[in-house]
Amino acid sequence: MFSPTGEIVEAARSANVGVGAFNVITVEHAEAIVAGAEAAGRPVVLQISENAVKFHGGRLAPIAAAARRVAELSSVPVGLHLDHVESDELFDQAAAHGFGSAMYDASKLPFEANVAATKAAAGRGRAAGIWVESELGEVGGKDGAHAPGVRTDPAEAAAYVAATGVDALAVAVGSSHAMTTRTAALDHALIAALTAAVPVPLVLHGSSGVPDDELRAAVRGGLVKINIGTALNVAFTGAVRSALEDAAVVDPRKYLKAARQAMADTVTHALRVVTEL
């Protein structure tokens, strides 16, 4: 069943658990994420990034419509989130294409410019019924931005949320985008300080590189929305490689079925990690 992202996140926050938010690139991703959530019996968020929209030729409508329909047919609550949006034009399309939330990403801008752009976007989003996430400073892994060791300052984060009016904040606490190994060590003292300072739900980007025990500790410390993307692609690609070892396989359904199941299993495991603390 489709559910607004904000409701899913607030329910998780009230229950002191996390909610998994997984990146959608293909329809198989959306199907796998929902299948994995149903197997775990947990709510989930489907995320379509601006980069995924670019992959689909800059057309948001087809992949958004497919993901929204997969969400509606699910037996568990499923949110639909437009992620890492730098384009104002794309951000303003979110509500029309069935999204309940969007992440406006002005993190490459200086602080004051980030505040101004994000405040304006949050106002437009609120008027359209969109729950708005943002990011203060860049999380690592994006073209070398955000060097290792850089962290979100709690006082600055609190001021940023107050100034922009966003509904959730992604913070830099030691994770990094696009990690294919699970070796990230999070700053749990900082997580506790951010949780105490910031009144809105906190979001962890780059969670694919974070070990299970670190994720559990992060959720116990106050992180709520746990974003995962690369782990699904690792599972997808591994399953496809294995299936194509048989040179006789030419029907894409044979290897995409295996890839979809591998992603679903990854989702089920991750959701259990962030909810069974």
Side-chain angles (χ1 to χ4, degrees), residues 156-173:
E156 189 174 60
Y160 177 85
V161 168
T164 59
V166 294
D167 299 296
L169 183 68
V171 292
V173 293

Side-chain angles (χ1 to χ4, degrees), residues 48-256:
I48 299 173
S49 71
E50 183 170 310
N51 282 338
V53 175
K54 291 176 181 176
F55 169 75
H56 288 287
R59 293 182 292 272
L60 175 60
I63 189 64
R68 172 76 186 225
R69 192 62 180 141
V70 171
E72 290 171 344
L73 295 174
S74 173
S75 62
V76 297
V78 180
L80 188 60
H81 179 77
L82 190 59
D83 199 37
H84 275 293
V85 181
E86 298 181 7
S87 162
D88 286 293
E89 180 182 1
L90 181 60
F91 179 85
D92 292 340
Q93 295 178 38
H97 288 288
F99 290 84
S101 62
M103 186 234 174
Y104 186 76
D105 188 354
S107 63
K108 293 178 182 177
L109 299 176
F111 181 82
E112 294 300 334
N114 184 344
V115 167
T118 303
K119 180 179 180 179
R124 298 195 310 273
R126 187 174 300 106
I130 295 295
W131 183 89
V132 180
E133 174 186 333
S134 190
E135 180 174 297
L136 179 57
E138 292 185 323
V139 175
K142 296 269 186 172
D143 300 321
H146 193 327
V150 175
R151 301 288 184 265
T152 301
D153 176 77
E156 189 174 60
Y160 177 85
V161 168
T164 59
V166 294
D167 299 296
L169 183 68
V171 292
V173 293
S175 60
S176 182
H177 288 106
M179 287 185 68
T180 57
T181 58
R182 304 187 69 196
T183 54
L186 302 182
D187 187 335
H188 296 285
L190 177 57
I191 291 170
L194 287 163
T195 300
V198 178
V200 299
L202 299 179
V203 183
L204 182 66
H205 287 206
S207 304
S208 291
V210 183
D212 289 349
D213 287 346
E214 286 282 292
L215 282 179
R216 291 188 187 97
V219 172
R220 286 195 296 265
L223 296 187
V224 184
K225 181 171 174 278
I226 308 301
N227 288 13
I228 297 173
T230 301
L232 297 191
N233 297 333
V234 169
F236 182 110
T237 304
V240 170
R241 283 196 179 112
S242 180
L244 291 180
E245 287 180 358
D246 181 353
V249 173
V250 295
D251 186 338
R253 289 170 295 188
K254 293 187 181 297
Y255 51 84
L256 288 178

